[in-house]
Amino acid sequence: MISGESVTTESSPRLLSHLGSTYYPLAMMGRLPFAMTVVGVLTLVVTVTGSFTDAGATSAVVGIGTAVAGPFLGMAADRFGQRVVLLASTLVHSLTLVALTVLTYQHRPVGVLMAAAFVIGASAPQLAAMSRARLLSIINLKLPSHVRSRTLNRTMSVESMADELVFVFGPVAVGVLSVQIAPWAPLVVAAALTLVCVGGFALHPTASVVRRAEHSAPTGSLRDVLSAKILVLAAGMLSIGTFFGSMLTSLTSFMDDRGAGDSAGVVYGALGIGSAIFAIAVVLFPASFTLAARWIVFALVSLVSVVFLPMIHSVPAMVAVLVVLGIGLGPTLVTIFSLGSARAPVGRSATVMTILSSAVVVGQSLLTAVTGRVVDAFGTSVSMWFPIGSVVLMVLFGLWNARIEKGIQTASLPSDR
């Protein structure tokens, strides 16, 4: 019998030996443009045009484009392979990011900007989803059975931590580049990172492994992908995205009220402290602490902290609340992705992971725009209720998921007859 400790020490080197030294740098840096885009578009348009309404609408369309096309990119990757899909989306996405930047400075009509923004969202390379699909395939295909479960838990924790960090620090990067260089810099840098890092990830040798793994077994139907057990996970991710969008916008208004609006991104980074630590710590939780229970428990941790937002009047207090919020948010994100990897139909892992990743961007885009309008109309105190509402939804979806999980377990029990 192999102890948990020996599995832990053996599993990571075995996985890394199949990935190579460039896999994680490409997979981590390639995520950053995805997290910079919504806020980068908002910052560029509002700075150049002076219209927060046009900027909010344009950034929201990015999310709509991702919602429409993201799942189809995942299905195409499952059918034709990740390499061709990633290379095509990388080229279109990078060119359109630059095109939107030029069109904005040419003061083209907002309809033109929104059309470009839709293409940006629709062509966004789904690197995070495809990275999970690759790693899942490599673990199942290459590693011995006794280390798979432990390695999968650890790997999904690292992947979710990476997502959490880029969604927190992506807006920080946008703020720094905008202030230190110019409003066009975030989108141009995002285009360059997409070409180099996502392009490199597309060409990485591991792309061929996922093709062998997915085609070694029958492919699950699209009906399975659209089942309640997957849709509840997408709903959970949507609520996390709405939190990101509403929290950043509300925090920006909060800091602007105190004459430090340009520091909002730095303060927002506090969300990543507790989030990163606890996202990694998920691997230490016992198996008796089920995924369904983790979602509810950590969503409640976020809820307990987020309700204090309307009462906060100082920056140190805001930082403290954001740190605690991250403690709940990080494990919730890890848990939902872990559930997605477990529930994905055979041959549809990229599709499911793309749906989950896209849901975050859709929620972020829509609530960035909506919360911005609320800030203009009613002020910061009212906008702070949007992050609270997002976390309430996170809890409710967690309860819905627990009910679905119970049904799945009941259906899997052997019949008495």
Side-chain angles (χ1 to χ4, degrees), residues 71-359:
F72 291 101
L73 290 177
M75 285 188 280
D78 283 330
R79 184 175 179 84
F80 304 109
Q82 290 189 7
R83 184 164 291 158
V84 63
V85 174
L86 278 173
L87 288 175
S89 60
T90 293
L91 183 60
V92 174
H93 189 68
S94 300
L95 292 175
T96 314
L97 283 170
V98 175
L100 176 62
T101 305
V102 173
L103 292 170
T104 303
Y105 277 100
Q106 290 179 343
H107 298 282
R108 296 299 176 90
V110 67
V112 175
L113 303 185
M114 291 173 70
F118 180 86
V119 177
I120 287 172
S123 62
Q126 302 294 325
L127 185 148
M130 296 191 192
S131 177
R132 282 182 174 83
R134 280 192 203 187
L135 293 169
L136 182 62
S137 297
I138 291 169
I139 290 169
N140 289 332
L141 194 67
K142 298 284 189 178
L143 300 190
S145 58
H146 67 270
V147 300
R148 287 176 190 165
S149 178
R150 185 75 174 182
T151 306
L152 179 62
N153 289 336
R154 172 176 299 211
T155 302
M156 291 300 110
S157 295
V158 171
E159 288 289 294
S160 297
M161 182 199 69
D163 287 336
E164 180 81 8
L165 289 178
V166 297
F167 273 108
V168 171
F169 292 109
V172 177
V174 170
V176 171
L177 290 169
S178 297
V179 171
Q180 298 298 322
I181 302 177
W184 54 260
L187 295 189
V188 172
V189 169
L193 283 173
T194 300
L195 280 174
V196 174
C197 296
V198 182
F201 182 82
L203 297 172
H204 195 273
T206 52
S208 61
V209 176
V210 72
R211 286 288 284 170
R212 292 200 301 273
E214 297 289 14
H215 289 279
S216 62
T219 300
S221 69
L222 187 58
R223 179 179 297 179
D224 293 333
V225 173
L226 300 178
S227 63
K229 67 180 183 179
I230 302 298
L231 293 180
V232 67
L233 306 182
M237 284 302 197
L238 185 70
S239 67
I240 291 176
T242 60
F243 172 81
F244 283 141
S246 59
M247 187 69 245
L248 178 59
T249 306
S250 298
L251 179 62
T252 301
S253 178
F254 175 87
M255 295 300 293
D256 190 59
D257 292 343
R258 287 150 184 78
D262 56 351
S263 300
V266 177
V267 176
Y268 187 66
L271 189 66
I273 298 173
S275 178
I277 294 172
F278 275 79
I280 285 293
V282 165
V283 73
L284 301 177
F285 297 154
S288 58
F289 188 15
T290 65
L291 293 174
R294 292 176 197 178
W295 183 343
I296 296 171
V297 168
F298 285 103
L300 286 172
V301 170
S302 295
L303 182 60
V304 169
S305 54
V306 78
V307 295
F308 288 98
L309 286 177
M311 312 173 200
I312 293 175
H313 301 288
S314 69
V315 175
M318 178 62 75
V319 170
V321 168
L322 289 174
V323 170
V324 179
L325 265 168
I327 291 174
L329 207 61
T332 304
L333 194 72
V334 173
T335 297
I336 297 176
F337 272 124
S338 297
L339 285 166
S341 65
R343 294 179 184 174
V346 174
R348 295 286 188 178
S349 57
T351 304
V352 170
M353 293 304 176
T354 301
I355 289 172
L356 300 186
S357 296
S358 298

